[in-house]
């Protein structure tokens, strides 16, 4: 891996850990703060709300500054509020800290994607963006289980302290390892917001929120799916999640490669089609344990393989405000997260079994395929290449 990209990977590692570890720590947080688990669940929603609000807002505010300085500022916010999370005396303070900790999430990946694409060799932009998202996959594979174990066996506050330490290391690595590139051409807020007049931008948002939301239908209910339908014991669920995490590592690498070999729009279409087939397979065959494990690995791979192609596609479509566009996709992913969990839960609410959320997800992924094919058709005669940008010294 190019050392210049390591700070972006490290930032993704910290962000991935703080986003997903709360799900495993909910019982510990609830017990320690003397609140119910549903109330503790609001901490997850607060973080997601911070991502959706912060992604476009912070990018629009900071757009006139060089990306390197923006990334350092974002990681400072991230570090401070994850540190405050570790010392929060009650659920209200923790709720506020989690909201502000989520603010830099989408903006970091948006600005980081611009940095990665500009630092990449010609024809390897998507792979460079995938390197940044590799931090998320490594977090799910290793650091989230470690952080959950720390919270279970010691204290959940130590886990957020560890996240803050990762944030500090990221700040130092950005300062000394990430090259400087000039700020994007200064655009007024009115000019930046004009990207929302572009139909292609809205198609990418729909691909992100609806298409990837299909996989959140599955993963939101993976634990009861594996225990109630596939017949695994609850003790094996963490290992099944590790299997899904390993799939994410492979899928992230594959998605970056695929998007560099064909157009980002076609890569999205093919990956969403594969997602559709996989989710249908989960609905039909989850009662067979070996097949269920295989499909878990594949679904895990597909869940992150779309990250780099979608990010590259958005930067191509929002070429007049790439940084804003790239950050919006992160808000879209979190909308897909919430939408998938809600819609996937509807069949369970009406008494159907835990494989039905995957069927709902299949229809959402199919919608993503349709949107991706629409954008491929629109761009067929109008390819949008990346423009090389001069990289300055450290």
């Amino acid at each position: 891996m190019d050392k210049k990209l390591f700070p972006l990977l490290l930032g993704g590692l910290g962000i991935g850990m703080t986003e997903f570890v709360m799900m495993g720590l909910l019982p510990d947080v609830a017990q320690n703060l003397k609140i119910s688990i549903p109330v503790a669940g609001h901490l997850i929603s607060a973080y997601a709300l911070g991502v959706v609000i912060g992604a476009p807002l912070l990018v629009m505010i900071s757009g006139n500054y060089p990306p390197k300085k923006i990334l350092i500022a974002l990681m400072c916010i991230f570090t401070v509020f994850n540190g405050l999370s570790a010392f929060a005396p009650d659920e209200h303070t923790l709720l506020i800290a989690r909201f502000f900790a989520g603010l830099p999430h989408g903006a970091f990946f948006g600005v980081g994607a611009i940095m990665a694409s500009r630092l990449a060799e010609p024809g390897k932009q998507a792979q460079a963006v995938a390197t940044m998202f590799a931090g998320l996959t490594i977090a799910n594979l290793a650091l989230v289980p470690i952080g959950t174990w720390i919270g279970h066996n010691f204290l959940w506050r130590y886990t957020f302290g560890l996240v803050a330490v990762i944030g500090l290391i990221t700040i130092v690595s950005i300062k000394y390892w990430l090259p400087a590139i000039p700020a994007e051409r200064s655009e007024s807020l009115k000019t930046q917001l004009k990207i929302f007049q572009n139909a292609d931008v809205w198609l990418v948002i729909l691909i992100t929120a609806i298409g990837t939301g299909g996989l959140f239908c599955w993963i939101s209910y993976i634990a009861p799916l594996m225990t109630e339908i596939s017949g695994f014991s609850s003790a094996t669920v963490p290992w099944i999640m590790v299997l899904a995490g390993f799939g994410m590592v492979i899928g992230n690498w594959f998605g970056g490669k695929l998007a560099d070999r064909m157009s980002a729009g076609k890569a999205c279409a093919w990956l969403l089609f594969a997602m559709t087939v996989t989710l249908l397979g989960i609905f039909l065959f989850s009662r067979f344990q070996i097949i269920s494990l295989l499909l878990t690995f594949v679904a895990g791979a597909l869940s992150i393989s779309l990250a780099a192609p979608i990010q590259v596609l958005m930067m191509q479509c929002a070429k007049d405000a790439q940084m804003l566009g790239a950050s919006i996709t992160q808000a879209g992913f979190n909308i897909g997260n919430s939408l998938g969990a809600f819609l996937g839960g509807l069949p369970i609410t009406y008494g159907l079994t835990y494989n039905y959320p995957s069927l709902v997800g299949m229809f959402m992924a199919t919608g993503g395929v349709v949107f991706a094919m629409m954008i491929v058709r629109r761009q067929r005669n109008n390819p949008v290449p990346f423009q090389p940008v001069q990289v300055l010294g450290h």
Side-chain angles (χ1 to χ4, degrees):
M1 183 185 64
D2 189 338
K3 186 177 75 170
K4 296 191 297 291
L5 298 175
F6 180 74
L8 300 178
L9 182 149
L10 196 58
L13 188 71
I15 290 173
M17 183 177 182
T18 198
E19 179 181 20
F20 294 108
V21 78
M22 181 58 81
M23 300 171 187
L25 293 177
L26 278 186
D28 304 281
V29 174
Q31 182 180 16
N32 181 256
L33 297 179
K34 295 180 174 56
I35 58 177
S36 67
I37 289 181
V39 170
H42 297 162
L43 299 169
I44 297 175
S45 302
Y47 184 91
L49 180 62
V51 177
V52 173
I53 293 175
L57 180 63
L58 293 182
V59 167
M60 286 188 291
I61 291 174
S62 61
N64 290 328
Y65 294 93
K68 181 173 177 176
K69 290 186 176 180
I70 298 174
L71 290 174
I72 291 176
L74 292 172
M75 286 312 299
C76 285
I77 298 172
F78 173 86
T79 302
V80 167
F81 286 101
N82 274 285
L84 288 176
S85 296
F87 293 98
D90 53 53
E91 72 272 19
H92 302 296
T93 307
L94 184 57
L95 190 76
I96 294 170
R98 293 299 295 161
F99 171 79
F100 282 99
L103 287 177
H105 175 129
F108 182 90
F109 283 124
V111 178
I114 299 296
M115 287 288 292
S117 65
R118 292 181 178 183
L119 294 172
E121 298 176 10
K124 294 186 177 181
Q125 286 89 356
Q127 293 176 59
V129 173
T131 298
M132 176 181 63
F133 284 111
L136 283 176
T137 66
I138 297 171
N140 277 283
L141 181 62
L143 285 190
V144 169
I146 291 172
T148 303
W149 181 83
I150 291 172
H152 285 330
N153 292 279
F154 298 98
L155 185 63
W156 61 268
R157 298 178 186 276
Y158 297 155
T159 299
F160 289 106
L162 177 59
V163 173
V165 170
I166 294 174
L168 284 172
I169 297 172
T170 303
I171 293 169
V172 174
S173 67
I174 291 173
K175 179 175 176 59
Y176 290 104
W177 288 353
L178 196 65
I181 66 173
E184 284 192 313
R185 179 168 53 88
S186 179
E187 299 284 3
S188 66
L189 177 60
K190 182 178 180 180
T191 301
Q192 291 186 61
L193 292 177
K194 283 184 178 180
I195 66 170
F196 293 107
Q197 298 176 5
N198 186 338
D200 289 347
V201 168
W202 283 104
L203 286 172
V204 179
I205 292 173
L206 289 171
I207 290 171
T208 310
I210 295 178
T212 65
L215 270 169
F216 286 110
C217 286
W218 158 73
I219 202 168
S220 297
Y221 303 97
I222 186 172
L225 171 71
M226 288 297 172
T227 55
E228 300 294 328
I229 305 298
S230 300
F232 291 100
S233 68
S234 58
T236 62
V237 172
W239 296 105
I240 292 172
M241 295 305 295
V242 169
L243 177 65
F246 181 63
M248 292 178 186
V249 173
I250 303 299
N252 180 62
W253 169 83
F254 177 76
K257 285 278 189 181
L258 187 66
D260 281 333
R261 290 182 177 272
M262 62 176 65
S263 72
K266 287 183 179 179
C268 289
W270 279 110
L271 290 170
L272 284 163
F273 175 75
M275 184 190 303
T276 301
V277 174
T278 302
L279 290 171
L280 178 61
I282 291 172
F283 172 71
L284 294 174
F285 304 115
S286 284
R287 65 183 183 276
F288 303 106
Q289 289 189 338
I290 299 299
I291 297 177
S292 181
L293 290 175
L294 177 62
L295 290 171
T296 296
F297 173 81
V298 175
L302 291 170
S303 70
I304 197 68
S305 64
L306 278 157
I310 285 178
Q311 198 72 291
V312 170
L313 182 61
M314 177 60 93
M315 287 189 291
Q316 292 174 345
C317 296
K319 55 184 180 296
D320 293 328
Q322 286 188 336
M323 210 172 283
L324 175 61
S327 69
I328 290 169
T329 60
Q330 298 306 309
F333 278 120
N334 277 268
I335 293 172
N337 187 342
S338 301
L339 195 61
F342 172 72
L343 294 178
L346 290 180
I348 299 171
T349 301
Y350 287 99
L352 298 175
T353 54
Y354 283 103
N355 57 329
Y356 273 86
S358 298
L359 184 62
V360 176
M362 182 205 72
F363 287 111
M364 293 183 71
T366 301
V369 174
V370 173
F371 295 133
M373 292 305 298
M374 289 173 64
I375 203 168
V376 168
R377 183 174 180 180
R378 287 173 58 87
Q379 294 187 335
R380 183 172 295 162
N381 298 319
N382 186 30
V384 185
F386 278 98
Q387 297 298 322
V389 176
Q390 181 183 4
V391 178
L392 305 181
H394 292 263

